[in-house]
Amino acid sequence: MKLLALETSTENCSVALKNNEKIVFRSISAAQKHAEMILPMIDEVLKEAKVSKDELDGIVLSTGPGSFTGVRIAASTAQGIALALDKKVALVTSLKALAIEALSNTQTTPDYIVSSIDARMGEVYLAVYKLDENRYLTLLDEERVLKPVDAVNKVKELVNGSNNLIGAGTGIAIINEASTDGDIAVLESIADFPKAQYILTEGQRKFETGDIVEAQDALPLYVRNEVTWKKVSEQH
């Protein structure tokens, strides 16, 4: 399967292409330059993988949460390519991308992975995943944006007293700082920013199970309720 993955929800901009078993990717930390970088990066991975856009089986989009501008850039790019090529899109959150990366980079077998991104304005984005016997990650509760102290309490609630957990993302340091009572273990952040290459396998699984959407429904995940996004057909 040939899949193109896009991730721009943080200051890191990344693109990856899966050509059957081969993965080619580009990942650059360049805040506020995602819009000018993403299309050339797509061209680079297609050229390196010797795959044309017409050969793609679909798009894998990291939906966020993260920077509002960043998640819009990836979503609009995914929508445009998918519409032009009449392809479907698999959606994976940036928080799950972090969890997958952390799991890929650890030598341990944690019970839980805590993913968190600095949401600015004194808040963090948070998701907690439980690892099953097949090393599949299941989201507990839902993705949230919380004050750091509330994030500490939510982690404590969801991990049910376990200390066998690892962290991922820029929000972990903030959560650690807010954890003053020692009720949760200090988490080491094994992954810094979500990256496109880590959502390709999950994206392929979604294509194989039919858990995919039409191009116009490839929408960002903001978590903050007051933010709205229009589909391509609704934009002027």
Side-chain angles (χ1 to χ4, degrees):
M1 183 170 282
K2 297 177 175 63
L3 297 173
L4 177 68
L6 310 176
E7 214 302 321
T8 62
S9 63
T10 65
E11 49 264 56
N12 195 74
C13 180
S14 62
V15 171
L17 190 142
K18 181 177 175 65
N19 182 5
N20 297 318
E21 298 306 313
K22 182 180 179 181
I23 293 177
V24 176
F25 65 90
R26 295 289 185 277
S27 182
I28 302 174
S29 182
Q32 301 179 342
K33 293 185 178 179
H34 295 11
E36 62 189 76
M37 295 175 62
I38 190 167
L39 292 178
M41 289 171 72
I42 291 171
D43 289 339
E44 286 180 15
V45 298
L46 287 167
K47 183 177 180 180
E48 182 175 338
K50 297 181 174 60
V51 173
S52 71
K53 289 180 181 177
D54 291 336
E55 293 179 284
L56 292 173
D57 293 299
I59 312 298
V60 185
L61 170 64
S62 176
T63 59
S67 157
F68 293 164
T69 300
V71 297
R72 287 187 180 105
I73 289 169
S76 60
T77 303
Q79 284 187 353
I81 295 173
L83 280 169
L85 300 175
D86 191 25
K87 303 295 182 182
K88 301 291 195 302
V89 183
L91 308 180
V92 183
T93 71
S94 56
L95 293 166
K96 189 161 192 180
L98 280 168
I100 293 169
E101 180 177 358
L103 184 59
S104 300
N105 293 337
T106 185
Q107 301 300 313
T108 66
T109 302
D111 292 327
Y112 301 91
I113 298 181
V114 180
S115 290
S116 183
I117 295 172
D118 184 355
R120 314 301 181 184
M121 297 185 287
E123 295 178 318
V124 294
Y125 297 115
L126 177 74
V128 178
Y129 298 89
K130 183 171 177 56
L131 188 68
D132 68 17
E133 62 275 11
N134 297 315
R135 293 181 71 80
Y136 184 75
L137 295 164
T138 299
L139 175 66
L140 304 180
D141 190 55
E142 62 184 357
E143 298 90 353
R144 294 179 179 270
V145 59
L146 297 166
K147 296 292 184 185
V149 171
D150 295 329
V152 170
N153 291 330
K154 179 56 68 174
V155 171
K156 288 160 56 177
E157 172 193 331
L158 294 175
V159 303
N160 196 30
S162 174
N163 284 326
N164 186 22
L165 54 155
I166 60 174
T170 55
I172 294 300
I174 300 171
I175 292 174
N176 284 339
E177 186 175 350
S179 179
T180 57
D181 59 9
D183 281 351
I184 63 170
V186 174
L187 302 173
E188 178 185 0
S189 181
I190 296 177
D192 48 8
F193 303 114
K195 300 179 183 71
Q197 60 267 35
Y198 290 100
I199 62 174
L200 282 166
T201 300
E202 176 72 358
Q204 179 166 333
R205 185 189 69 81
K206 285 176 173 280
F207 269 93
E208 290 172 347
T209 60
D211 185 13
I212 50 180
V213 300
E214 300 289 341
Q216 64 267 23
D217 295 315
L219 306 176
L221 173 67
Y222 291 112
V223 179
R224 285 192 170 101
N225 292 330
E226 66 269 21
V227 180
T228 59
W229 169 261
K230 293 181 179 179
K231 299 177 184 179
V232 168
S233 61
E234 299 168 340
Q235 297 173 22
H236 298 290

